[in-house]
Amino acid sequence: MTKLVTIFGGSGFVGRYIARRMAREGWRVRVAVRRPTEANFVRTYGVVGQVEPIFANIRDDDSVRAAIHGADAVVNCVGILSERGKNKFDTVQHEGAGRVARIAAEESVKTLVQMSAIGANSESSSKYARTKALGEAAVLEAFPGAIILRPSIIFGPEDEFFNRFAKMTRTGYILPVVGGSTRFQPVYVDDVAQVAVKSVLGEVEPGTYELGGPDVRTFRQLMEQMLTVIRRRRLILNVPFWIAGIMGTVLDAVQTLTGGLIHNSLLTRDQVRNLRHDNVICSGCKGLDELGIDPTGMDAVLDDYLWPYRPSGQYAKIKESAQHLAEEDI
């Protein structure tokens, strides 16, 4: 184990899959996070001492430099969906990404992988999309040979998309969605991790890659598919953008007025702006196919981790089987 990779946000949803794969490749892995004590589970991804969680704050030069020093490769998976406290879109996704790239170049790191997102656009009205694009520009300015990965919505056992909406079905008979006709191209988390690992191993040329799965679905169709998997019937209510905008404004105001004590994790104005635009790979963009990766479809994965949301949980299939047998006897 002579090679070392530092993964910023390595205990997060995508980062942990990259860390696990890098450990299997025989690399030493530094998992750079703000709370190392909450990331001790990553130690089990390799042999003793192979995977180590360490402290790093992407907003601070000294901690970023300490995390990168001696590394052969760096992967930055840090990103936020909503602002909270000092973690603003600009400081994390723009300045933070640029800081990692600048220090990686100063520390003579060979490979840098930056996790961005489809829809990154410096002219966007959404702070999320705009700072993702500004972060890409800052990365390429400091580290021209960087590899930029732009995934669509990422799904997998720990995702905050299907799990979030499936959980909502437990407490109500109406499932509200904003932008029901907005299209997405969900990509499996381990496929994204595989691209990142191939990049670190030198199997991917520098450039920007848009990552999407084999299926393009509208927001409403994704909710219908999720409901089918969890065996529940709910009314999918499409919330108009103008109403969603008012809701986001009110919820953002509550967070501001309470000094952040009540965090708006439900719906922000910025998320409403994002949902106005399709989230699919662009025509002619390089993606999984060009990298030799066969994308994993949702049908092959959703059933494996959404079953706890079924009315009978792990016993749902047993009850269905028994019902079929009873019908055959009749």
Side-chain angles (χ1 to χ4, degrees):
M1 294 184 290
T2 59
K3 297 287 188 177
L4 171 65
V5 59
T6 296
I7 306 175
F8 287 92
S11 65
F13 176 36
V14 179
R16 66 182 66 187
Y17 283 82
I18 299 173
R20 186 184 293 116
R21 277 185 169 271
M22 290 307 306
R24 290 175 182 170
E25 293 290 337
W27 283 53
R28 289 183 295 130
V29 183
R30 281 181 188 157
V31 173
V33 293
R34 287 189 300 148
R35 300 182 182 88
T37 55
E38 297 178 9
N40 280 323
F41 64 89
V42 300
R43 297 179 185 273
T44 62
Y45 294 166
V47 298
V48 176
Q50 184 182 2
V51 183
E52 290 287 342
I54 64 170
F55 169 77
N57 187 333
I58 202 172
R59 304 192 312 269
D60 175 70
D61 272 34
D62 291 338
S63 67
V64 170
R65 190 177 300 278
I68 290 177
H69 183 70
D72 298 281
V74 171
V75 181
N76 181 21
C77 296
V78 178
I80 57 175
L81 295 175
S82 60
E83 297 182 326
R84 187 173 192 174
K86 294 182 180 180
N87 288 322
K88 306 296 185 182
F89 285 123
D90 198 57
T91 56
V92 174
Q93 299 186 163
H94 174 200
E95 296 173 5
R99 178 175 292 108
V100 169
R102 171 174 55 81
I103 294 176
E106 293 171 356
E107 292 291 327
S108 301
V109 170
K110 296 178 181 178
T111 305
L112 173 64
V113 182
Q114 170 68 25
M115 196 66 63
S116 185
I118 285 181
N121 182 355
S122 60
E123 302 298 324
S124 175
S125 60
S126 162
K127 289 182 181 179
Y128 175 84
R130 187 167 63 251
T131 53
K132 279 291 188 182
L134 292 173
E136 290 182 7
V139 166
L140 293 174
E141 181 180 357
F143 205 111
I147 296 168
I148 308 291
L149 304 182
R150 291 179 173 179
S152 182
I153 289 289
I154 303 176
F155 69 93
E158 305 87 358
D159 70 43
E160 295 183 6
F161 184 71
F162 286 113
N163 279 298
R164 176 183 181 183
F165 286 99
K167 189 178 297 183
M168 290 171 61
T169 65
R170 289 174 167 173
T171 56
Y173 292 93
I174 298 177
L175 190 63
V177 298
V178 179
S181 60
T182 300
R183 297 184 305 151
F184 296 88
Q185 195 167 350
V187 59
Y188 182 43
V189 60
D190 201 42
D191 289 345
V192 177
Q194 189 176 349
V195 176
V197 171
K198 287 170 71 72
S199 301
V200 171
L201 298 178
E203 299 173 10
V204 176
E205 294 293 324
T208 300
Y209 298 84
E210 298 205 344
L211 311 179
D215 308 306
V216 176
R217 300 281 189 274
T218 64
F219 199 164
R220 183 182 185 87
Q221 289 172 332
L222 290 175
M223 293 300 96
E224 291 172 345
Q225 183 170 1
M226 179 269 294
L227 289 172
T228 298
V229 171
I230 65 174
R231 316 289 201 268
R232 291 183 187 268
R233 298 179 66 182
R234 295 292 183 266
L235 174 63
I236 300 176
L237 178 64
N238 187 42
V239 180
F241 284 117
W242 68 272
I243 293 179
I246 295 174
M247 294 169 58
T249 299
V250 172
L251 292 170
D252 284 345
V254 171
Q255 177 172 314
T256 301
L257 293 173
T258 60
L261 292 177
I262 298 178
H263 175 58
N264 179 13
S265 59
L266 297 176
L267 181 68
T268 68
R269 287 173 296 176
D270 202 71
Q271 290 168 347
V272 174
R273 296 188 190 106
N274 252 331
L275 286 168
R276 289 179 177 273
H277 306 285
D278 288 341
N279 199 265
V280 298
I281 62 176
C282 66
S283 177
C285 288
K286 294 181 291 186
L288 294 177
D289 290 340
E290 286 75 13
L291 298 173
I293 297 174
D294 187 20
T296 304
M298 290 180 287
D299 291 339
V301 179
L302 292 183
D303 193 69
D304 291 339
Y305 70 91
L306 290 182
W307 59 263
Y309 301 103
R310 293 170 181 165
S312 302
Q314 61 184 317
Y315 303 107
K317 288 189 175 181
I318 297 176
K319 292 181 65 176
E320 290 170 4
S321 178
Q323 183 177 354
H324 292 324
L325 288 174
E327 291 174 352
E328 289 177 1
D329 290 339
I330 293 175

